[in-house]
Amino acid sequence: MLELIREPWPWYIAGPLVGLTVPALLIIGNKSFGISASLRHTCAMCLPANIKFFKYDWKKEIWNMFFVFGILLGGVIAYSFLSNPNPIIIDGNLKAELAGYGITEIYGMLPEQLFSWESLFTLKGFFMMVVGGFFIGFGSRYAGGCTSGHAISGLSNLQMPSLIATCCFFIGGLIMANIILPFILSL
């Protein structure tokens, strides 16, 4: 059983499990699935300033903080006890393309040549981590939610704003992967 848990699950098992989270949250507690709202709740808890955006009863949404804590705890447990000891297999074409940008040391999920403290202070690393992080935060706030909230929860509730946001997320991802990322990697 432990070996089954350690291996990556196919999409036809993992996808429905994630998808069933939406009706479970709606049926059990009349809650919507989404992660980005937890940042707002955290700010409302920790910074009770006189800012209108943070003036609401965040205690009604404390379940969301437990949900996010469970995700973090699950990640720590999975990394600590269920990690697959085999190296990550990366397609040869992707390796060749990344090598063209000078990224040759790929030993984990994130290449250290892009995502490390040393690379943070390079132009490429600054764009990847700081500017990219700002755009993700700004985009999720501007769209009124993140990809999980819109694409999983909003679409299943047939919300038109979620359909528009999800289409924009995918278009933005295609533009990023095919136009902007190659430019940043060539810096």
Side-chain angles (χ1 to χ4, degrees), residues 44-64:
M45 279 190 291
C46 299
L47 305 169
N50 197 16
I51 300 172
K52 184 179 178 184
F53 184 69
F54 296 130
K55 288 180 123 182
Y56 66 96
D57 188 10
W58 57 265
K59 292 177 185 172
K60 286 184 177 179
E61 303 298 327
I62 196 71
W63 72 271
N64 191 263

Side-chain angles (χ1 to χ4, degrees), residues 144-161:
C146 60
T147 52
S148 62
H150 281 298
I152 298 171
S153 188
L155 288 180
S156 65
N157 290 322
L158 303 175
Q159 296 176 359
M160 183 58 76

Side-chain angles (χ1 to χ4, degrees), residues 57 64 82 90 113 121 128 142 154:
D57 188 10
N64 191 263
L82 302 174
I90 298 174
Q113 291 166 309
F121 299 106
M128 294 292 289
Y142 187 72

Side-chain angles (χ1 to χ4, degrees), residues 1 18-20 24 56 65 67 80-81 86 89 107 110 119 136 148 175 179 185:
M1 182 66 170
V18 171
L20 289 173
Y56 66 96
M65 301 306 291
F67 188 76
S80 301
F81 302 109
N86 301 324
I89 299 170
Y107 304 113
L110 300 171
S119 68
I136 287 173
S148 62
I175 292 170
I179 298 171
L185 292 177

